[in-house]
Amino acid sequence: VQLQASGGGLVQAGGSLRLSCVLSGGTFSSYPMGWFRQAPGKEREFVAAIDGSGDNTYYGDSAKGRFIISRDNAKNTVYLQMNSLTPEDTALYYCAADDISPGKVASVKDYGMDYWGKGTQVTVSS
C-alpha cells in the first residue's frame, strides 16, 4: 500500500485549503483513513479520521468545526477540507491508512496506523 498526499501550500490566515491523499496497491474502501500533522518541534498530532464507507468521522479538538474529512472510494482518495486556517495550523500533514475493519473509524493514535504517506506542507501566514 502506498499513499500520496497533495494539496498543501501557503495560505493567509482565514483562508482554506483542501488536501488530497490517494491510496494505491490496495482496496481503498477496506481502509479507514486518518490525517495527522506535525509542526516543527512538536509531536505528531491527530487531526481527523474516517471509516471505510465515509459514513463515520471523528475529529481532534483542533479540527472540530473547521476541518472536514471525506473520501471518494471510486477515486481511491481521502480529503481534508481545511477552513478558517490560522498560523497554528502550520505543519506537515500526513495521511495514513489503518488496516482494521472498514466499519471502524481509523485510529486516533499514530502508532495505530499501518501505512503512511510522505506528507504535504501547509503554511499559514498571519
Side-chain angles (χ1 to χ4, degrees), residues 2-125:
Q2 293 185 325
L3 299 170
Q4 180 65 55
S6 61
L10 175 64
V11 63
Q12 289 189 333
S16 298
L17 279 176
R18 188 177 79 157
L19 306 184
S20 300
C21 176
V22 178
L23 183 148
S24 60
T27 303
F28 180 65
S29 60
S30 297
Y31 292 99
M33 300 292 295
W35 287 95
F36 294 77
R37 69 184 185 184
Q38 189 166 20
K42 295 187 177 181
E43 294 185 352
R44 192 152 49 186
E45 174 190 14
F46 167 72
V47 177
I50 193 167
D51 68 359
S53 67
D55 290 340
N56 297 290
T57 58
Y58 187 76
Y59 295 91
D61 289 342
S62 62
K64 289 177 182 176
R66 299 188 302 129
F67 295 1
I68 300 172
I69 187 170
S70 63
R71 64 190 295 155
D72 186 339
N73 285 348
K75 296 183 178 179
N76 292 352
T77 302
V78 63
Y79 303 98
L80 185 68
Q81 176 67 44
M82 304 188 295
N83 303 317
S84 303
L85 287 162
T86 74
E88 288 68 38
D89 295 314
T90 295
L92 189 60
Y93 283 72
Y94 298 90
C95 62
D98 197 347
D99 192 9
I100 59 170
S101 167
K104 296 183 178 181
V105 176
S107 175
V108 303
K109 300 295 186 181
D110 57 359
Y111 55 76
M113 305 300 282
D114 295 287
Y115 304 100
W116 291 85
K118 288 186 178 181
T120 184
Q121 178 67 39
V122 172
T123 303
V124 185
S125 63

